[in-house]
Amino acid sequence: MKQTRILALLACSVAALGANAADIPDRPEKLKYPALNYSPPDAKQFRVALKAGPVAYVVPDRELPLVNIFILVRTGDYLDPVGKEGLAGITGYLLARGGTKSKTAEDLEERLAFLAASLNSAVGDTQGSVSLNLLSKDLDEGFAILREMLTAPRFQDDKLALRKQQSLQAMKQRNDDAADIEQRERRYLAYGEGFYFNRHSTQASLESLTRADLEGFHKRWFHPKNFVVAVNGDFEAAAMTARLEKLFAAWPFTGEVPPPVPTERKFAAPGVYLVNKEVNQGRVTILLPGIQRDDPDFPATQVMNDILGGGGFTSRIMNRVRSDEGLAYSAGSGFPGGVYHPMSFLAAFQSKSRTVAYATSIVLEEMRKIATETVTDEELNTTKKQFIETFPQTFATKRQVAGTLAGDEFTGRFAKEPDYWRNYRSKIDAVTKADVQRVAKKFLTPDKVVILVVGTKEEILKGHPDHPVKLESLGGGRLVDQPLRDPLTMKPVTK
Amino acid sequence: MTPKFLPLCLLLVLLTLPARAQKVPVIEKTLSNGMRLLLLPRHDEPTVAGGWVAHVGSANERPGITGIAHLFEHMMFKGTPTLGTKDYKKDVEIINEQERVRDLMRQEESVMRTLWRRGEITDLLNPDTWTPRYKELQAQFKKLVDAQREILVKNEFDRVYTSNGGSQMNAYTSQDVTVYFITVPANKLELWMWMESGRLLAPVFREFYAERDVVFEERRMRTESTPTGRIEEAFWAMFWESHPYSWPVVGWPSDIPAISKKQADEFYALYYAPQNLTTVLVGDFDPDQATALAEKYFGRIPRGKEAAPDVVTLEIKQPAEKRMNGEADTNPQVDIMWHTPAFGHKDTYPLAVLAQLLSTRTGRLYKGLVLGSKVATEAYAQQHAMRWASLFNVGGEVTDGKTPADLEAGLLAEIEKIKTTEVPPEELQKVKNNFAAGEYRKLSNNHAIMQALLRYDGLGRWQEINEAGPKLQAVTAADVKRVAETYLTKDNRNIASIVRKTGKNASEDPDLAGLSPQQLPAVRQFLGRLAEEKNVEALKARLKQMEEQSAKADAKNQQFLTILKKKTAERIAELEKK
């Protein structure tokens, strides 16, 4: 960052010319700034294809005596066998917490705690992860533990029993918080009952899990050919590469490459889906089918969504629903590009029961408006400048450099689009007002809108005396009672 | 690359644990108007993290205006005479006219409160029950809001930052402080000075009344519509007997809509005067230049006429154990809080070490209660240090089949062990090693360092960032035992014992209420399969079998079978109806 330091000095000399309050301009546009030239890190500078299999991103940083290693694993909940839902999650949890061949779980955790090292593992929807953060003086011992944990975990029986009990009790809370219900039902409506997002663990699937299941899952997927590694901190690059070669060499089992992530989704029929839950504030999510991040329209949808509801206080939904009307504390929209399949568009807010319908109508109106009228120059410029000017923050720390680059390797973006980050700002800058309107029209289709509401049905349907909007009329006139699910079976509860 | 914070003796230090604390070389300056500056140049990232803390929180409020400190946090984003409006003169006229109408509405609100006390209005927040006069004033007021909207430049304060690459902009309010922060590109330090000094010099509280509604939605979201929000709020209010910590930061529901702009103006003049503020900058800048810029921009804010008053009321010594038994849509849980001394007291450090000894998966509570007696599935402990008074807290979730009383007894037994036997050296060293490593981890990025400085300055002493480490390392086993004996006593404690609310929750079928925890899972599994079964004849056959079994069953299984029979019959009826 030598370059920026010189620029900072320049900035200072400019400011020093007149340290007098009388020179303060009346508008911020009149302030002058020195240029800040920034280039994103070049992946090739850090990328190492290890002989032992994985690709690693090795980023030295001698500021603090700490090392951070992060291993991404090609596995996921989507690989749970039928009837064994929850297996991936429990295997991921217990890998680092269930002991190793030579150490009981208790001895291992005690030793790590004494070293003030933090070892973690987890498996999510489409990836697993193992991480170790420790003082650099403990690297030898830490890597020995990591190797044994990855190749010979113990999955101690009592730890499995405890985790099952904890999971079962967490399951019982599934209907307690309206926010949890909303999160879950969003995914049912946007992706369909059979999609891998919606294969939740049940009491029966949880109880069926055995240590042999965990061992089988681990041996099948936790293999160097399924790993991508990010490592940053207090080391020399060559020495770290040698350590990583040793860490992954001569793996004691073969493992498999997992099948592709399923993509077969089913979006719900248009309508208002109302889950009755007695709380004094309704939670609303408006859903539409979405986009994949390598779609050529993705940069334009990012800009469009930012103007509509993604940009916080500068976005239209926040301005109307919160600042103008005081109808919600948080209100906005998201248009995440899916990695493996399109991810849904969503707009969401929470409002007191009686104003749920009115606030929903405002958000729908904004969605229609951005598809039928062009945005202003000021809106477009604010949004583009925001993406462009905050871009350096993507790589603010060495941990982010290693992690972001390894993520691209894992998801295939580096192979497909090696210049993604170098071109990022110019792609955003190229988006026009016409592009914004075109993608809004293409994706924000009113006839497909699915509206999920969680709250007190009776109050919500009453509406507000000052705003005669009926919730029923907003989803094409279709109001569906969306039942709660039994928390232990996930079957809809019929009254 | 050159080390930024590492002392030259680093290599020596790493040979032995504990590692010594790292000095964070903060430069402290005071501007001519009394505002303090904390500067930490750090040239790793091309950014500057900037924030300031107003030494005012909910503890500075009084009944009737609870929530006002937090309301300010919202109002400070509404702009200045130049940011946020197309026509400032007209803007001021409308704001004054709005106040006039609001005064009339406040008179009517007083009338409605009287009606409410007499039982003639059931819910002051329900628009259906407002008086005709109030509805009329409301309509008048709405016209003024619409007029103001014509000349508003919406959220311009945010827009300026956003289009200049500002990120992580936010603010928070606690019992002790109100904190505002953002990260800007390194070349935009002067913009930060312009923006922050501008809103402190001449804030305009436009959209004041819509923002109170926003805060009310925030209260609903965080407190009222969450499973345990109201219980936690009530437990907190019960814990503080005399101290103004007792009311919630977001304010009581009656007070939030009653706060007037006049009260807000007075509050601002007193607590947002420069001598009550500290600014923190961490990142890629030159400290001399930053100081000169700060004097130029912030220096123009006049010093406040009066010093902010001290919080006078002390928490009175608790005479006896206090207890709350509640029901909520949640798994059974226990929470215990004891009064402990304020931030800066020497006993804070042994209490922090004690909390760490009890926490984490290798701590006493997890080993004793989750792995050992298995009365809990999760357990936690913390020393929550605050500016005027603190608390020590332990708790956990009850394992199915055990009771809150079992967990409470277990938690208190672990505390008793600390009081009777000194912690072994190895165990104490483990905890100290983690505090020592934390000294490095806290320095990971500009934003995190800024937040730590804002927090410590808000508590009363930013130097804590450098001083806490050595003080924690100096804690002895005897200190830990002594503070447990001193503070974690029966008379000083407050216990909340929560069980799952029965009946109302849709996840709890009232038919299953009498079943034992051992029987419940089986019944649920049965019900799951039943819901999938579509063959009426098969169900009828099964029902008949159950009736035969039922005749032979003992009393305990009788109840179990009765439920299965009932549910099967209901499913048959449902299928036949289709």
Side-chain angles (χ1 to χ4, degrees):
Chain A
M1 300 286 157
K2 271 186 198 133
Q3 207 177 8
T4 50
R5 224 176 297 177
I6 294 162
L7 287 169
L9 286 176
L10 271 176
C12 297
S13 53
V14 172
L17 291 176
N20 180 343
D23 303 336
I24 294 172
D26 62 336
R27 291 286 310 176
E29 294 80 10
K30 294 178 186 166
L31 292 169
K32 298 270 182 289
Y33 312 107
L36 195 153
N37 293 317
Y38 175 81
S39 311
D42 180 7
K44 289 189 237 50
Q45 193 192 328
F46 306 106
R47 189 177 189 273
V48 185
L50 297 171
K51 292 186 203 78
V55 167
Y57 286 83
V58 178
V59 185
D61 174 16
R62 311 307 290 253
E63 185 179 1
L64 300 169
L66 291 166
V67 172
N68 189 56
I69 174 166
F70 187 67
I71 303 170
L72 288 159
V73 187
R74 288 188 204 290
T75 181
D77 295 335
Y78 78 97
L79 297 167
D80 276 341
V82 174
K84 297 275 181 191
E85 291 80 10
L87 174 59
I90 288 210
T91 307
Y93 181 86
L94 282 180
L95 183 63
R97 299 170 181 93
T100 61
K101 194 175 166 193
S102 72
K103 285 191 176 66
T104 63
E106 293 75 16
D107 289 348
L108 177 64
E109 297 221 88
E110 202 61 49
R111 183 61 192 159
L112 288 165
F114 194 82
L115 297 177
S118 138
L119 177 72
N120 281 297
S121 59
V123 176
D125 285 337
T126 57
Q127 71 174 44
S129 65
V130 172
S131 67
L132 175 63
N133 181 290
L134 76 176
L135 290 163
S136 44
K137 71 176 180 58
D138 299 324
L139 264 179
D140 287 340
E141 186 174 354
F143 269 54
I145 289 172
L146 191 57
R147 163 89 187 184
E148 196 181 42
M149 185 208 84
L150 285 165
T151 55
R154 188 183 281 229
F155 295 121
Q156 217 165 287
D157 280 325
D158 58 340
K159 294 291 178 288
L160 174 58
L162 171 63
R163 189 60 188 161
K164 283 162 95 167
Q165 182 63 32
Q166 289 171 332
S167 305
L168 180 69
Q169 292 197 212
M171 225 179 252
K172 292 182 178 175
Q173 311 242 54
R174 275 173 170 165
N175 287 339
D176 290 345
D177 196 329
D180 293 339
I181 297 169
E182 184 193 28
Q183 288 276 347
R184 200 170 65 219
E185 293 304 322
R186 267 181 193 171
R187 287 184 147 204
Y188 277 108
L189 293 170
Y191 302 96
E193 297 271 333
F195 200 57
Y196 69 92
F197 284 172
N198 299 321
R199 293 183 53 217
H200 295 282
S201 59
T202 61
Q203 181 174 24
S205 76
L206 191 67
E207 280 171 356
S208 79
L209 298 180
T210 63
R211 181 154 93 176
D213 291 327
L214 273 65
E215 286 166 348
F217 190 91
H218 165 256
K219 282 217 164 67
R220 209 164 162 196
W221 314 119
F222 281 74
H223 186 277
K225 65 188 160 203
N226 287 333
F227 296 165
V228 173
V229 182
V231 55
N232 66 285
D234 183 25
F235 51 73
E236 295 295 342
M240 179 48 69
T241 302
R243 271 188 197 279
L244 292 173
E245 289 289 8
K246 204 174 138 206
L247 177 65
F248 299 118
W251 213 249
F253 48 88
T254 44
E256 290 172 41
V257 173
V261 173
T263 58
E264 199 69 17
R265 290 150 296 123
K266 192 173 175 296
F267 194 79
V272 177
Y273 294 78
L274 180 53
V275 182
N276 188 26
K277 164 84 181 169
E278 211 173 292
V279 280
N280 69 0
Q281 189 182 51
R283 304 186 68 95
V284 179
T285 303
I286 297 170
L287 292 158
L288 279 168
I291 193 170
Q292 212 160 323
R293 73 175 188 189
D294 53 6
D295 189 308
D297 280 338
F298 185 56
T301 60
Q302 280 181 287
V303 171
M304 186 276 289
N305 176 65
D306 198 77
I307 295 170
L308 175 68
F313 285 94
T314 54
S315 74
R316 292 177 173 189
I317 290 177
M318 189 69 122
N319 271 330
R320 295 260 345 250
V321 176
R322 173 170 164 158
S323 308
D324 279 359
E325 306 276 351
L327 293 172
Y329 171 71
S330 96
S333 66
F335 212 151
V339 175
Y340 305 101
H341 48 74
M343 292 287 281
S344 298
F345 164 86
L346 61 89
F349 63 87
Q350 302 85 42
S351 189
K352 58 186 175 294
S353 305
R354 300 289 295 270
T355 47
V356 159
Y358 178 52
T360 307
S361 74
I362 292 176
V363 175
L364 290 171
E365 190 187 312
E366 289 301 331
M367 287 165 62
R368 268 192 301 274
K369 213 170 118 192
I370 203 166
T372 48
E373 296 166 25
T374 56
V375 297
T376 65
D377 288 322
E378 197 199 6
E379 284 175 313
L380 185 72
N381 286 336
T382 300
T383 289
K384 290 209 292 198
K385 277 163 84 181
Q386 186 212 349
F387 278 110
I388 291 165
E389 296 258 343
T390 58
F391 174 67
Q393 296 243 43
T394 314
F395 299 102
T397 64
K398 297 292 183 290
R399 188 177 187 145
Q400 282 170 282
V401 172
T404 305
L405 298 178
D408 283 357
E409 184 78 32
F410 185 82
T411 57
R413 179 146 73 188
F414 177 72
K416 206 173 163 186
E417 221 181 324
D419 290 330
Y420 176 79
W421 295 113
R422 206 181 312 155
N423 298 336
Y424 176 86
R425 286 170 292 182
S426 57
K427 283 197 174 175
I428 292 286
D429 206 30
V431 174
T432 65
K433 287 196 281 183
D435 290 332
V436 168
Q437 194 180 348
R438 180 177 54 77
V439 297
K441 208 169 194 165
K442 181 172 168 188
F443 293 101
L444 305 184
T445 43
D447 57 322
K448 287 189 190 145
V449 162
V450 163
I451 301 168
L452 168 66
V453 182
V454 181
T456 308
K457 182 180 173 183
E458 198 190 338
E459 287 294 308
I460 288 173
L461 292 182
K462 270 186 199 163
H464 195 278
D466 295 347
H467 312 289
V469 182
K470 286 282 166 205
L471 186 66
E472 304 89 300
S473 66
L474 297 176
R478 189 161 163 265
L479 181 72
V480 182
D481 278 311
Q482 184 80 344
L484 277 174
R485 292 164 197 275
D486 181 288
L488 300 184
T489 64
M490 293 310 271
K491 300 283 175 220
V493 178
T494 44
K495 288 267 171 76
Chain B
M1 287 193 203
T2 45
K4 274 77 181 178
F5 301 126
L6 295 188
L8 294 171
C9 57
L10 170 71
L11 281 173
L12 288 174
V13 165
L14 291 181
L15 295 175
T16 50
L17 275 173
R20 304 311 305 172
Q22 303 308 298
K23 266 259 184 278
V24 183
V26 175
I27 303 163
E28 183 178 13
K29 304 264 183 187
T30 305
L31 301 183
S32 51
N33 58 11
M35 182 167 173
R36 288 189 308 127
L37 282 185
L38 302 176
L39 305 172
L40 182 64
R42 191 172 176 273
H43 302 290
D44 252 34
E45 312 166 29
T47 61
V48 176
W52 48 275
V53 47
H55 293 93
V56 57
S58 61
N60 303 91
E61 299 165 348
R62 54 178 169 72
I65 59 164
T66 64
I68 194 171
H70 171 250
L71 187 61
F72 262 99
E73 178 208 319
H74 284 240
M75 292 316 298
M76 288 303 287
F77 291 87
K78 292 296 181 183
T80 65
T82 46
L83 286 186
T85 184
K86 286 182 239 170
D87 182 346
Y88 180 54
K89 196 166 155 270
K90 199 168 166 196
D91 196 35
V92 171
E93 281 167 25
I94 296 172
I95 290 173
N96 289 338
E97 185 58 16
Q98 285 182 346
E99 280 313 295
R100 194 189 60 79
V101 177
R102 275 286 159 183
D103 274 336
L104 298 174
M105 289 175 80
R106 272 186 280 275
Q107 288 168 21
E108 193 62 17
E109 280 161 14
S110 171
V111 172
M112 294 193 329
R113 267 195 296 273
T114 306
L115 292 173
W116 177 82
R117 280 188 285 268
R118 290 195 200 127
E120 290 166 36
I121 289 180
T122 51
D123 179 3
L124 287 170
L125 296 172
N126 183 347
D128 298 341
T129 64
W130 290 341
T131 62
R133 165 87 175 139
Y134 194 74
K135 283 182 187 166
E136 185 203 310
L137 288 166
Q138 174 89 4
Q140 274 183 39
F141 183 76
K142 196 174 174 300
K143 275 192 193 139
L144 290 166
V145 169
D146 291 340
Q148 189 178 33
R149 209 173 279 166
E150 295 284 304
I151 53 165
L152 274 183
V153 182
K154 295 298 291 185
N155 292 321
E156 191 178 15
F157 188 84
D158 297 71
R159 189 175 292 277
V160 171
Y161 264 141
T162 302
S163 59
N164 278 287
S167 60
Q168 292 173 289
M169 176 160 79
N170 215 329
Y172 68 84
T173 311
S174 72
Q175 286 83 6
D176 297 330
V177 290
T178 316
V179 172
Y180 302 78
F181 53 86
I182 190 169
T183 295
V184 293
N187 60 339
K188 300 280 170 69
L189 179 62
E190 189 167 5
L191 174 72
W192 182 85
M193 298 274 180
W194 193 97
M195 295 287 283
E196 301 301 325
S197 66
R199 67 166 155 177
L200 278 165
L201 181 68
V204 178
F205 302 143
R206 49 179 77 92
E207 298 180 292
F208 184 78
Y209 294 94
E211 203 58 30
R212 298 180 324 168
D213 293 344
V214 171
V215 169
F216 221 102
E217 290 295 351
E218 184 178 1
R219 180 183 160 81
R220 283 191 190 94
M221 185 189 82
R222 293 191 200 279
T223 307
E224 296 179 0
S225 70
T226 54
T228 54
R230 272 291 293 128
I231 295 239
E232 285 159 21
E233 184 177 76
F235 186 45
W236 182 265
M238 181 184 99
F239 179 76
W240 301 106
E241 188 179 346
S242 52
H243 200 275
Y245 277 162
S246 69
W247 52 79
V249 173
V250 72
W252 292 123
S254 52
D255 294 4
I256 297 168
I259 294 168
S260 71
K261 203 186 141 289
K262 183 162 167 283
Q263 289 168 326
D265 290 340
E266 287 164 8
F267 195 82
Y268 185 81
L270 193 54
Y271 291 106
Y272 279 69
Q275 67 266 37
N276 207 34
L277 309 176
T278 304
T279 277
V280 178
L281 291 172
V282 179
D284 196 8
F285 62 87
D286 175 279
D288 293 336
Q289 296 299 335
T291 308
L293 275 177
E295 187 61 52
K296 172 178 168 179
Y297 279 93
F298 290 98
R300 61 194 165 137
I301 304 165
R303 183 186 283 267
K305 290 192 191 83
E306 293 170 58
D310 198 14
V311 171
V312 173
T313 308
L314 305 178
E315 177 65 9
I316 194 165
K317 191 174 164 17
Q318 191 175 306
E321 178 187 76
K322 290 187 275 183
R323 177 174 283 280
M324 182 164 143
N325 297 319
E327 289 187 0
D329 290 342
T330 185
N331 287 340
Q333 50 185 265
V334 175
D335 201 39
I336 308 176
M337 302 199 292
W338 293 266
H339 294 280
T340 54
F343 170 85
H345 190 286
K346 67 177 173 44
D347 287 346
T348 298
Y349 307 96
L351 284 163
V353 168
L354 172 56
Q356 204 53 31
L357 282 162
L358 296 171
S359 322
T360 80
R361 283 200 311 279
T362 64
R364 293 268 178 116
L365 297 184
Y366 202 85
K367 280 183 176 169
L369 308 178
V370 179
L371 302 176
S373 64
K374 297 188 170 60
V375 291
T377 54
E378 305 288 351
Y380 55 81
Q382 62 159 340
Q383 156 70 7
H384 183 59
M386 299 199 286
R387 185 173 176 194
W388 310 106
S390 305
L391 61 90
F392 193 88
N393 172 218
V394 301
E397 183 190 83
V398 181
T399 306
D400 283 351
K402 304 285 182 181
T403 64
D406 296 334
L407 176 52
E408 181 186 320
L411 288 164
L412 294 175
E414 290 297 336
I415 300 294
E416 284 313 303
K417 275 188 224 162
I418 298 280
K419 290 187 202 172
T420 46
T421 315
E422 278 189 11
V423 178
E426 176 95 349
E427 195 180 348
L428 187 61
Q429 191 58 49
K430 174 181 74 179
V431 164
K432 289 187 180 181
N433 289 350
N434 280 276
F435 279 117
E439 293 286 300
Y440 297 116
R441 291 191 171 117
K442 77 185 177 201
L443 303 177
S444 63
N445 63 69
N446 290 345
H447 194 88
I449 301 169
M450 174 195 67
Q451 290 288 7
L453 285 169
L454 288 167
R455 187 176 111 75
Y456 285 131
D457 194 78
L459 283 168
R461 194 173 160 74
W462 69 262
Q463 290 87 344
E464 187 74 1
I465 201 169
N466 291 323
E467 293 170 357
K471 285 181 181 168
L472 289 163
Q473 295 300 332
V475 169
T476 65
D479 291 333
V480 172
K481 182 167 177 287
R482 178 181 57 77
V483 294
E485 286 167 332
T486 309
Y487 301 108
L488 309 189
T489 63
K490 185 166 193 280
D491 284 350
N492 191 32
R493 78 190 175 210
N494 295 260
I495 302 179
S497 171
I498 311 300
V499 294
R500 182 172 279 285
K501 193 187 273 181
T502 48
K504 264 186 151 180
N505 189 339
S507 62
E508 291 293 304
D509 186 334
D511 284 343
L512 312 187
L515 292 174
S516 71
Q518 287 73 31
Q519 290 171 323
L520 259 176
V523 173
R524 285 187 187 276
Q525 242 176 324
F526 174 86
L527 293 177
R529 285 198 298 269
L530 195 63
E532 283 177 328
E533 182 63 76
K534 294 197 179 76
N535 184 337
V536 176
E537 291 318 307
L539 284 173
K540 283 183 175 167
R542 219 179 294 161
L543 184 61
K544 204 172 154 211
Q545 271 178 3
M546 281 188 252
E547 252 140 22
E548 284 160 15
Q549 279 175 351
S550 170
K552 291 176 258 169
D554 61 26
K556 202 173 144 207
N557 283 320
Q558 208 46 269
Q559 186 201 3
F560 180 71
L561 279 162
T562 308
I563 292 165
L564 300 193
K565 283 191 293 182
K566 182 176 174 220
K567 296 288 177 190
T568 308
E570 283 174 3
R571 177 74 183 147
I572 292 168
E574 188 191 340
L575 288 168
E576 284 181 338
K577 210 164 69 186
K578 289 179 187 169

